[in-house]
Amino acid sequence: EPEVTQTPSHQVTQMGQEVILRCVPISNHLYFYWYRQILGQKVEFLVSFYNNEISEKSEIFDDQFSVERPDGSNFTLKIRSTKLEDSAMYFCASSGGVPTDTQYFGPGTRLTVL
Amino acid sequence: AQSVTQPDIHITVSEGASLELRCNYSYGATPYLFWYVQSPGQGLQLLLKYFSGDTLVQGIKGFEAEFKRSQSSFNLRKPSVHWSDAAEYFCAAVSGGYQKVTFGIGTKLQVIP
């Protein structure tokens, strides 16, 4: 069964450093998403991406964040200058041909900012 | 504002007992509804979804959920819980035409022998 994969599973970084979180969505999916889950809190939507551009983003997704689909298989989330409060589990998701298709989630990347 | 509420943060049940996890939503129109499960150290796995039609939906691992429009609820049920069901369960919703999935806070299920 196809699945969303994410690397790395755990990333530790120093405050102020840039990090790139990587995702490989399900191969025939067209919509891609990032969510985050701060420990003990809800899973929160960050951004959705379709046709090589952002289609929707939350107020959390400020100028420190960017997303990219650098090739036909990867989908990345970049945080330019990490802050302590960026420590969270980051989930990538993908869905099929229409925006309301079911979103399938990856296993997550745990980001720890020291 | 659109929201999903899971009133129970923790639930403990005995193995073999029945289970019901509550979920209420607040949306202008009926959203699409989902239940996801997250085992420790794992990602979010889709258990089942409701888009329209039959209000009782069947999912994987023996779970089912019932949509009740009058109560704005989408409760998850299982007739007999197994120890492997211990996990965190998230109710989620998305409005038609939008992409942002809104999650509830999650219900952590503990199963005791």
Side-chain angles (χ1 to χ4, degrees):
Chain A
E1 184 178 324
E3 58 183 19
V4 177
T5 60
Q6 290 185 245
T7 54
S9 57
H10 192 188
Q11 172 99 41
V12 181
T13 190
Q14 295 291 324
M15 190 169 57
Q17 295 297 303
E18 174 184 287
V19 295
I20 297 176
L21 309 182
R22 290 182 167 79
C23 168
V24 179
I26 294 173
S27 63
N28 62 346
H29 282 183
L30 301 178
Y31 292 84
F32 314 112
Y33 313 85
W34 284 100
Y35 291 79
R36 79 172 184 190
Q37 184 184 28
I38 295 171
L39 190 64
Q41 298 185 24
K42 289 186 181 187
V43 176
E44 302 171 289
F45 169 83
L46 291 178
V47 66
S48 59
F49 191 85
Y50 170 72
N51 200 26
N52 280 319
E53 60 183 28
I54 291 172
S55 49
E56 196 174 346
K57 62 180 181 179
S58 72
E59 59 276 8
I60 302 168
F61 193 87
D62 61 22
D63 292 343
Q64 292 297 312
F65 293 90
S66 62
V67 289
E68 190 179 30
R69 188 154 163 81
D71 53 42
S73 59
N74 290 282
F75 179 52
T76 62
L77 174 70
K78 182 192 292 186
I79 308 174
R80 289 190 183 80
S81 178
T82 50
K83 303 187 283 284
L84 295 176
E85 54 265 37
D86 293 326
S87 295
M89 180 74 90
Y90 288 80
F91 292 105
C92 175
S94 69
S95 65
V98 295
T100 48
D101 277 347
T102 300
Q103 294 179 24
Y104 292 90
F105 286 78
T109 292
R110 179 163 296 286
L111 176 65
T112 301
V113 182
L114 303 176
Chain B
Q2 299 169 338
S3 66
V4 176
T5 303
Q6 293 178 249
D8 304 306
I9 303 298
H10 285 99
I11 282 187
T12 300
V13 299
S14 299
E15 191 168 14
S18 63
L19 171 71
E20 182 169 30
L21 302 182
R22 296 183 291 164
C23 172
N24 293 94
Y25 63 89
S26 175
Y27 274 72
T30 301
Y32 301 144
L33 295 160
F34 308 85
W35 277 97
Y36 288 88
V37 60
Q38 184 182 30
S39 299
Q42 303 296 310
L44 296 162
Q45 182 182 23
L46 179 69
L47 283 176
L48 46 78
K49 60 188 178 185
Y50 173 77
F51 282 6
S52 65
D54 193 347
T55 57
L56 186 64
V57 292
Q58 302 297 319
I60 62 170
K61 304 186 180 187
F63 286 93
E64 66 178 26
E66 186 172 13
F67 169 68
K68 292 186 177 179
R69 186 190 306 275
S70 61
Q71 298 176 18
S72 297
S73 69
F74 187 58
N75 294 349
L76 181 72
R77 301 195 294 245
K78 186 168 185 178
S80 178
V81 168
H82 188 262
W83 64 267
S84 60
D85 293 324
E88 191 155 19
Y89 292 80
F90 294 91
C91 183
V94 61
S95 284
Y98 295 90
Q99 298 152 38
K100 169 188 169 183
V101 175
T102 298
F103 285 84
I105 191 70
T107 297
K108 195 161 288 187
L109 174 66
Q110 182 182 10
V111 180
I112 56 176

